[in-house]
Amino acid sequence: MSTIRDVAKIAGVSIATVSRVINFPEKVGIETRKRVFRAMEVCRYKYNALARGFATKRSHTFGLIVPTITNPIFAESTRGIQDFANEQGYQVILGNSDYQYEKEAKMVEVLRERQVEGLIITTTNLKGETLKSLLDDRFPFVLLYSTVRRGPISAVGVDNFLGGYRATEHLIHFHHRRIAMLAGAFNCSDRSFHRWHGYKRCLKDNHIPYDPDLVLKTEYSLARGREGVKSLVSFKNPPTAIFCSNDFLALGAMAGAREAGISLPQDLSIVGFDDMQIASSVTPALTTIRQPAYEMGELGAKILLHHIGNKVYKPVHKILATRLVIRESTTVVRTMKKEFYKTKAMSVHGA
Amino acid sequence: MSTIRDVAKIAGVSIATVSRVINFPEKVGIETRKRVFRAMEVCRYKYNALARGFATKRSHTFGLIVPTITNPIFAESTRGIQDFANEQGYQVILGNSDYQYEKEAKMVEVLRERQVEGLIITTTNLKGETLKSLLDDRFPFVLLYSTVRRGPISAVGVDNFLGGYRATEHLIHFHHRRIAMLAGAFNCSDRSFHRWHGYKRCLKDNHIPYDPDLVLKTEYSLARGREGVKSLVSFKNPPTAIFCSNDFLALGAMAGAREAGISLPQDLSIVGFDDMQIASSVTPALTTIRQPAYEMGELGAKILLHHIGNKVYKPVHKILATRLVIRESTTVVRTMKKEFYKTKAMSVHGA
DNA sequence: TTGTACGCGTTATCAC
DNA sequence: GTGATAACGCGTACAA
């Protein structure tokens, strides 16, 4: 590979001039410029961005750590991040933590050694050493998908508590009282934990006793959703509705329920969380809590770049709005159907 | 940030020794080693992998270009790539082409400037300048998802022709004769083109006339699948089955068909291509051509690393097996149901 | 407008 | 076992 030295020699100028042609062409005489460009062609010169990064101490790269890119919701936010980053001349190195703190910590280590200028992390452990040490070193980073309202860490996420609350409320509105929850393991994500809190609180506010047997903590996957629902419906007093901590779990639960001979949504209402693309195209279309994933990623990248660019660090916390998207996977509890529509008619009259 | 120079000074050794402690600890006396390690702690030394890359001309990075990471099938293969790469001490920079050649070309440019050691590309244009110039420069790269059986370019993919053939054959076996195809635009991917050829050929082999009106070339998305099916079923002589070029299109088609009041699979059989995770969990579960995405990615990365490591370049072509996964979205054409099962019974006797 | 010279953090090749 | 020193390719003062 030829370098600016080769180009300089061929063009009969100094390396500084070549460098200028690359970075500030207008600062170089038109004739010299042309000569340099031709010289570049002659020796098939290719710019070395890594060398620049080394010289300027700016890699124009940042690291992104997600639980796993195979979850479409993370793919979505990743696109948001990439699109903005690329536009700004940044590239992103992607790593998966599989919801394991050790992998996350290792990845942070590796990426920092690689001189990424900043990190976007969907963390598995909000309280871990990793984030603390990032903070100590004043290393630019922002959390994604986390509900952090204050403190020194920048984050963009949604109100998971409220999301859980709304999902549950929607079910209660449909007269469900035996409402189960398929939750992601709490040690994997504070998100699931907050959603569960929202669920619990909503139950309480509506004077529905909390039954711990109705809460299954499991891994975020189709397979676990499938299994979970089967165990749930085998109870002597099974739930009439399930709130799932993410759409994978919900979609898996729908499949599992059908395998168990349950008809949806008549015999079992299901609500998810995320609103991944496919959620609106399945049957019954999934009722779910929508997270604006792409926007979240975009915003996260924007904030990170801002941190990188500014000397003074002022953490920013953004809570984006979620939205309950009511589709077909939830309906009025069977025994209450007549009742429900009567009430409905009345309330319409009342309005 | 402190450097090996600082460490050397504190430990009272030369920078060469510090470097040796980092790379070949056993080559350094135990006492000196300890002193160096302590010095590292003192000045909170962090290794700079970028500087190493600069010095050794090995970035331990490679680039990955996919159409879009939001398509779960590409997320799957990406995981295969990452897992293998990380294991080998490599990181991957991810870029999206959105099936646009210009974006792909630009991305290749950017990544090469970044000194990635190799490239894995799911290309949009097999014949373009980009790949040619990569070849000219003897730059290590491998194609993913492409059917390339010979020539100078390394590739791992599946037999798209055969996949298209088998999908169509399956439909014909179910007595369908009006078989439409929802295809990805041919200028976006040779994959769709080959699948279409398989479809056409199978029709021919079974003496079914090819009707160009039954082939819709469109973008790979849920929305386009939805629209496509609606236009298809509005024909005076509508198809009884549709072969979709990928699962997104198929899933979209299922949703669209239902919106058009068609019951699945009785009135319309649908087969997809990819077998993305969700395909087995929808209703009706999607019959599709399975591609081993994760393995494909893994193998691609393996081949790339091999190319990077070896001086002599010998292209390798791997065609992985696809598999027709018959689930619930395809069935015997309505009018032929009785006929079909009679034949079936006979053939059982015959066997 | 153009050129000289140095620095960035590491590896690598010699000597000792 | 250890140290001195020259690369690596670029940016950037500063000088001309």
Side-chain angles (χ1 to χ4, degrees):
Chain A
M1 267 292 99
S2 49
T3 75
I4 51 171
R5 271 189 178 72
D6 304 313
V7 177
K9 194 161 294 176
I10 295 174
V13 298
S14 74
I15 60 163
T17 300
V18 178
S19 178
R20 267 179 231 120
V21 169
I22 293 169
N23 298 297
F24 319 95
E26 69 284 0
K27 288 194 168 185
V28 175
I30 181 80
E31 280 309 320
T32 337
R33 206 188 306 170
K34 273 187 190 160
R35 280 223 310 288
V36 171
F37 278 131
R38 259 191 302 116
M40 284 180 174
E41 301 234 321
V42 170
C43 64
R44 317 199 67 218
Y45 169 76
K46 275 214 160 53
Y47 185 70
N48 185 333
L50 196 140
R52 176 197 46 170
F54 176 60
T56 59
K57 311 184 103 188
R58 308 217 41 186
S59 63
H60 286 270
T61 301
F62 55 75
L64 169 60
I65 302 176
V66 295
T68 173
I69 193 63
T70 52
N71 183 334
I73 198 70
F74 295 128
E76 202 72 38
S77 48
T78 296
R79 264 314 290 257
I81 292 169
Q82 289 181 317
D83 288 353
F84 183 76
N86 292 348
E87 198 178 283
Q88 305 289 318
Y90 277 74
Q91 297 301 317
V92 3
I93 299 183
L94 177 61
N96 306 282
S97 71
D98 287 315
Y99 294 101
Q100 293 169 34
Y101 176 63
E102 295 72 26
K103 285 197 188 180
E104 179 182 327
K106 181 74 197 307
M107 203 65 206
V108 168
E109 203 54 38
V110 170
L111 291 173
R112 288 193 64 181
E113 286 192 353
R114 297 243 166 186
Q115 309 303 112
V116 298
E117 292 184 29
L119 242 17
I120 297 183
I121 308 175
T122 298
T123 191
T124 286
N125 185 349
L126 211 41
K127 305 289 175 204
E129 264 317 303
T130 305
L131 299 190
K132 265 202 221 13
S133 113
L134 248 20
L135 228 36
D136 287 347
D137 298 346
R138 303 190 187 298
F139 189 86
F141 74 104
V142 2
L143 262 27
L144 221 60
Y145 288 99
S146 270
T147 314
V148 178
R149 296 177 184 288
R150 52 205 154 72
I153 299 181
S154 279
V156 15
V158 300
D159 190 333
N160 288 295
F161 175 88
L162 189 59
Y165 195 99
R166 292 251 187 280
T168 312
E169 190 175 49
H170 167 64
L171 259 9
I172 293 174
H173 178 235
F174 274 166
H175 289 277
H176 291 277
R177 293 185 62 85
R178 287 291 285 172
I179 302 175
M181 177 167 180
L182 235 40
F186 295 164
N187 61 351
C188 284
S189 106
D190 60 310
R191 279 132 0 240
S192 182
F193 184 69
H194 289 138
R195 290 168 200 174
W196 171 69
H197 262 294
Y199 155 84
K200 239 174 88 172
R201 176 59 173 276
C202 183
L203 252 30
K204 192 178 174 194
D205 288 354
N206 287 275
H207 315 294
I208 298 176
Y210 172 69
D211 180 352
D213 289 346
L214 250 30
V215 175
L216 256 47
K217 283 167 235 157
T218 180
E219 184 189 289
Y220 280 130
S221 74
L222 287 169
R224 290 291 109 72
R226 213 169 196 131
E227 293 168 12
V229 73
K230 285 179 185 169
S231 122
L232 248 19
V233 298
S234 70
F235 289 0
K236 50 277 149 211
N237 185 8
T240 62
I242 307 181
F243 165 41
C244 300
S245 217
N246 84 349
D247 282 357
F248 257 162
L249 245 22
L251 263 12
M254 283 174 51
R258 249 171 337 235
E259 283 170 13
I262 291 168
S263 47
L264 301 176
Q266 297 82 1
D267 293 340
L268 185 66
S269 285
I270 293 179
V271 18
F273 204 112
D274 282 351
D275 195 22
M276 52 174 69
Q277 258 191 77
I278 195 68
S280 57
S281 296
V282 297
T283 310
L286 184 65
T287 295
T288 191
I289 303 291
R290 173 169 179 73
Q291 301 199 67
Y294 186 93
E295 293 76 10
M296 207 172 349
E298 219 177 3
L299 184 55
K302 214 169 281 187
I303 293 171
L304 180 59
L305 253 37
H306 192 262
H307 285 337
I308 291 173
N310 289 65
K311 275 266 166 278
V312 290
Y313 175 72
K314 264 195 62 181
V316 352
H317 309 104
K318 295 276 184 187
I319 308 290
L320 270 35
T322 56
R323 191 159 54 82
L324 169 68
V325 184
I326 302 175
R327 291 199 270 245
E328 310 157 353
S329 69
T330 47
T331 188
V332 178
V333 81
R334 186 164 240 168
T335 55
M336 295 296 285
K337 221 157 217 172
K338 261 193 228 150
E339 189 74 22
F340 180 80
Y341 288 110
K342 211 186 326 178
T343 318
K344 196 109 188 198
M346 277 171 59
S347 73
V348 167
H349 278 281
Chain B
M1 267 293 96
S2 49
T3 75
I4 52 171
R5 273 191 175 72
D6 303 315
V7 177
K9 194 160 293 177
I10 295 175
V13 299
S14 73
I15 59 165
T17 299
V18 178
S19 179
R20 268 188 290 261
V21 169
I22 293 169
N23 297 295
F24 319 94
E26 69 284 358
K27 288 193 169 186
V28 175
I30 180 80
E31 280 308 320
T32 335
R33 207 187 306 169
K34 272 187 191 160
R35 280 220 312 286
V36 170
F37 279 130
R38 258 191 302 117
M40 283 178 173
E41 302 234 321
V42 170
C43 63
R44 315 199 69 219
Y45 169 76
K46 274 212 160 55
Y47 184 71
N48 185 332
L50 198 137
R52 176 197 46 169
F54 175 60
T56 59
K57 314 183 105 191
R58 308 216 42 185
S59 63
H60 285 271
T61 301
F62 56 75
L64 170 60
I65 302 175
V66 296
T68 173
I69 193 63
T70 53
N71 182 334
I73 198 71
F74 294 127
E76 202 72 38
S77 48
T78 296
R79 263 315 290 256
I81 292 168
Q82 289 181 317
D83 288 353
F84 184 76
N86 292 348
E87 199 178 282
Q88 304 290 317
Y90 276 75
Q91 297 302 316
V92 2
I93 298 182
L94 179 60
N96 306 282
S97 72
D98 287 316
Y99 294 100
Q100 294 169 33
Y101 176 63
E102 296 71 26
K103 285 197 188 179
E104 179 182 327
K106 180 74 196 308
M107 204 65 206
V108 168
E109 203 55 37
V110 170
L111 291 174
R112 288 194 65 180
E113 287 191 353
R114 298 241 165 188
Q115 309 304 111
V116 298
E117 292 184 29
L119 241 19
I120 297 182
I121 308 175
T122 297
T123 191
T124 285
N125 185 349
L126 211 41
K127 305 290 175 203
E129 265 316 303
T130 305
L131 299 190
K132 266 203 221 9
S133 112
L134 248 21
L135 228 37
D136 287 348
D137 298 345
R138 302 191 188 297
F139 189 85
F141 75 105
V142 2
L143 261 27
L144 221 61
Y145 288 99
S146 271
T147 314
V148 178
R149 295 177 182 288
R150 52 205 155 71
I153 298 181
S154 279
V156 15
V158 300
D159 190 332
N160 288 295
F161 175 89
L162 189 59
Y165 194 99
R166 292 250 187 278
T168 313
E169 190 175 48
H170 167 63
L171 260 9
I172 293 175
H173 178 236
F174 274 166
H175 290 276
H176 291 277
R177 292 185 63 84
R178 287 290 286 174
I179 302 174
M181 177 168 181
L182 235 39
F186 296 164
N187 61 351
C188 283
S189 107
D190 60 311
R191 292 158 309 270
S192 183
F193 184 69
H194 289 138
R195 289 168 199 174
W196 171 69
H197 262 293
Y199 156 84
K200 241 174 86 171
R201 176 58 173 277
C202 184
L203 253 29
K204 191 177 174 196
D205 288 354
N206 288 275
H207 315 294
I208 299 176
Y210 171 70
D211 180 352
D213 290 346
L214 250 30
V215 175
L216 257 47
K217 282 167 238 161
T218 181
E219 184 188 290
Y220 280 132
S221 73
L222 287 168
R224 289 291 110 71
R226 215 171 195 127
E227 293 168 12
V229 74
K230 285 179 184 169
S231 121
L232 247 19
V233 299
S234 69
F235 289 0
K236 51 279 147 208
N237 185 8
T240 62
I242 307 181
F243 164 42
C244 299
S245 218
N246 83 350
D247 282 356
F248 257 162
L249 245 21
L251 262 12
M254 283 174 48
R258 247 169 341 234
E259 284 170 12
I262 292 168
S263 46
L264 301 176
Q266 295 82 2
D267 293 339
L268 185 66
S269 285
I270 293 179
V271 19
F273 204 112
D274 282 350
D275 196 21
M276 52 173 70
Q277 259 192 74
I278 195 69
S280 57
S281 296
V282 298
T283 309
L286 185 64
T287 294
T288 192
I289 303 290
R290 172 169 179 74
Q291 302 199 68
Y294 186 93
E295 293 76 9
M296 206 171 352
E298 218 177 4
L299 185 54
K302 215 169 278 186
I303 293 171
L304 180 60
L305 253 36
H306 192 261
H307 285 338
I308 291 172
N310 288 65
K311 274 269 167 279
V312 291
Y313 175 72
K314 263 194 66 181
V316 352
H317 310 103
K318 294 277 184 186
I319 308 290
L320 269 36
T322 57
R323 191 159 54 81
L324 169 67
V325 184
I326 302 175
R327 290 197 271 244
E328 310 158 354
S329 68
T330 47
T331 188
V332 177
V333 81
R334 187 164 237 165
T335 55
M336 293 296 287
K337 221 157 217 172
K338 260 192 230 153
E339 190 73 22
F340 180 80
Y341 288 109
K342 212 186 324 176
T343 317
K344 198 110 187 197
M346 277 170 60
S347 72
V348 168
H349 278 282

